[in-house]
Amino acid sequence: MLPKDNHIDLFLDWKTSGNWVFPANYDSVLNAKNSMCGDECDLYIKREDNQIRILALGGESCSICQASMGILFSRQTLWSKDFFLNQLEIRKKCLNELKVSDQIPVDESRFLELLFTYPNRHRCALLPWVALGKGF
């Protein structure tokens, strides 16, 4: 486990993984809000053959939520509904059980491990996933 003073630096590193520039062409914006803390997450998406591609990110949120958006964006995956639901369930289980699955990429595993010490911030980390789920 990393010392706590390195946590903010790592969150900021993951935050830079996303495209935070408003895209010229997109199909829609998926939005999710956390009324508990005020975080707001916007995913600018393009639909491709019943799948979703995240083109850019936006919104006002904490570093944990922004880092989670950056990690989600960095996958550059075409998300199908079944693939999305499977990946979401893996992450929820990880945060509930405080145990990282080998099905999660190493860089994201480090992020989730950091969140084990902040259980009240799990909603922040899952907010981008909530937004993406609205696309299906």
Side-chain angles (χ1 to χ4, degrees):
M1 192 69 148
L2 296 168
K4 275 194 168 196
D5 57 349
N6 289 334
H7 289 193
I8 297 301
D9 291 338
L10 290 172
F11 289 143
L12 294 175
D13 287 344
W14 285 308
K15 176 185 169 184
T16 62
S17 300
N19 175 19
W20 298 87
V21 178
F22 187 78
N25 297 310
Y26 61 94
D27 293 333
S28 61
V29 180
L30 304 176
N31 178 274
K33 296 178 183 179
N34 184 345
S35 60
M36 302 271 299
C37 66
D39 282 353
E40 187 170 340
C41 168
D42 296 322
L43 304 178
Y44 296 86
I45 64 158
K46 187 107 177 142
R47 296 186 186 280
E48 302 175 23
D49 300 322
N50 294 325
Q51 296 178 319
I52 294 174
R53 180 178 306 278
I54 303 170
L55 301 176
L57 310 168
E60 294 290 328
S61 60
C62 69
S63 61
I64 292 172
C65 183
Q66 289 180 5
S68 185
M69 282 192 278
I71 290 169
L72 189 64
F73 177 84
S74 70
R75 299 293 172 246
Q76 286 300 306
T77 301
L78 270 173
W79 296 89
S80 67
K81 183 176 182 178
D82 289 340
F83 180 68
F84 163 78
L85 291 172
N86 174 264
Q87 294 298 303
L88 176 60
E89 190 57 37
I90 290 169
R91 281 147 185 86
K92 282 182 175 180
K93 183 177 179 183
C94 170
L95 290 172
N96 287 334
E97 296 177 359
L98 304 180
K99 182 179 178 201
V100 176
S101 166
D102 60 357
Q103 296 174 301
I104 296 175
V106 173
D107 61 334
E108 188 176 358
S109 294
R110 291 180 55 220
F111 171 71
L112 293 172
E113 285 174 345
L114 293 175
L115 289 176
F116 293 167
T117 59
Y118 303 104
N120 58 335
R121 304 302 293 275
H122 292 181
R123 289 178 128 189
C124 301
L126 291 175
L127 192 63
W129 290 85
V130 170
L132 184 57
K134 291 181 177 184
F136 301 107

